Amino acid sequence: MNNSDLAKILIRAVEEADSSDRLLDAVQELAAAGIEEAVPTLIAALGYNNPGAAVAAVDGLIAIGEVAVPPLLELIDDYNYGARAWALRALAGIGDVRALDTLLEAAKNDFSLSVRRAAARGLGTLRWHQVPPEKLESVQTQVLEALLVISQDPEWVVRYAAVTSLETLAVAVAVTSPDQASRITNQLQQMLDTDADLGVRTRVKFAQEKIQQQQHQEVFAPKIKLQDTEVTEVPYRGGGRR
């Protein structure tokens, strides 16, 4: 049986499921198959009001990867905010930069906190190697400006998601753009000092520690490498004298 035939059977099982449990099982099997033809059906499953099926569909879309991005962007449900949030979780898991505009718009302006949260998280999972080198700094600046706004969202879960993305962005720009990294550090410190939610402040502290660890590794890694080289050369020089 080829993939096309298997996809038809699994898709039919989803369409004919007559209970929540059967729907969940059918979506899980379809997602596990990892077949490109399953993408539209998996996207449809995001709006079935079945959280288990939605989770399975998101996992399946992420596993299928970049080929799922165009249909995800095209078929995002503007009327069902739950389905929209699940779709953005899938896009965040894939990390394709083609979703950037959608993530930015949703994170800043969507009325649903679950959608804003998913989009804010997605801004921290973008695969920067997909961006042309000459555009990288401007795109990262665009993301940073958005995250600085999102980190002031009235909902703590959205601010929490913004912190996770600020952390990953800080690591990404640490060497190439020290000015951006400094802005992120300042924003995190401001949030630590002023945010009303303990969970957000705790996540900020964790982000600061991770950023500091990364900076420490970058500073000391060359020295460690140099020291290792010197240690290996000492016996050789001594042997030469003998």
Side-chain angles (χ1 to χ4, degrees), residues 11-227:
I11 289 171
R12 187 180 307 116
V14 172
E15 294 171 344
E16 296 177 354
D18 56 4
S19 70
S20 294
D21 290 341
R22 289 184 178 179
L23 177 62
L24 173 58
D25 291 342
V27 173
Q28 286 177 333
E29 291 183 8
L30 180 61
I35 301 172
E36 183 177 345
E37 291 91 329
V39 169
T41 304
L42 292 175
I43 294 174
L46 302 177
Y48 284 164
N49 196 28
N50 186 318
V55 170
V58 168
D59 290 342
L61 290 165
I62 292 172
I64 291 170
E66 294 179 5
V67 296
V69 172
L72 267 168
L73 293 173
E74 181 181 349
L75 298 176
I76 283 182
D77 194 329
D78 290 332
Y79 300 98
N80 184 334
Y81 69 86
R84 204 158 63 246
W86 289 116
L88 288 167
R89 290 189 188 189
L91 289 170
I94 297 170
D96 195 293
V97 296
R98 287 174 292 179
L100 175 60
D101 290 341
T102 297
L103 293 171
L104 288 170
E105 175 63 23
K108 291 188 292 185
N109 299 319
D110 202 282
F111 76 91
S112 167
L113 70 90
S114 61
V115 172
R116 297 200 306 278
R117 176 189 185 185
R121 184 68 187 88
L123 291 173
T125 62
L126 294 170
R127 298 180 179 179
W128 295 118
H129 68 271
Q130 295 179 336
V131 181
E134 67 275 11
K135 296 182 178 180
L136 182 59
E137 184 176 356
S138 64
V139 172
Q140 288 177 332
T141 299
Q142 185 181 15
V143 171
L144 173 56
E145 295 294 347
L147 287 173
L148 293 178
V149 173
I150 298 163
S151 64
Q152 302 175 51
D153 192 280
E155 299 291 345
W156 75 267
V157 292
V158 181
R159 300 197 304 275
Y160 188 103
V163 172
T164 67
S165 292
L166 284 169
E167 175 195 322
T168 56
L169 182 59
V171 172
V173 304
V175 174
T176 58
S177 185
D179 290 342
Q180 290 185 359
S182 178
R183 293 182 68 190
I184 295 172
T185 300
N186 292 339
Q187 177 64 23
L188 290 175
Q189 186 59 49
Q190 180 180 344
M191 295 180 74
L192 182 64
D193 294 338
T194 64
D195 199 282
D197 187 85
L198 176 60
V200 173
R201 297 197 304 273
T202 301
R203 186 61 182 82
V204 168
K205 189 65 175 176
F206 180 81
Q208 289 176 323
E209 292 172 355
K210 285 294 184 180
I211 293 169
Q212 289 173 356
Q213 289 174 5
Q214 179 69 21
Q215 292 173 340
H216 184 273
Q217 291 173 358
E218 290 170 353
V219 168
F220 288 98
K223 294 183 179 180
I224 293 172
K225 183 177 181 181
L226 178 59
Q227 290 171 356

Side-chain angles (χ1 to χ4, degrees), residues 230-242:
E230 291 172 351
V231 167
T232 59
E233 290 176 351
V234 168
Y236 175 79
R237 291 199 299 267
R241 291 191 182 95
R242 287 195 298 268

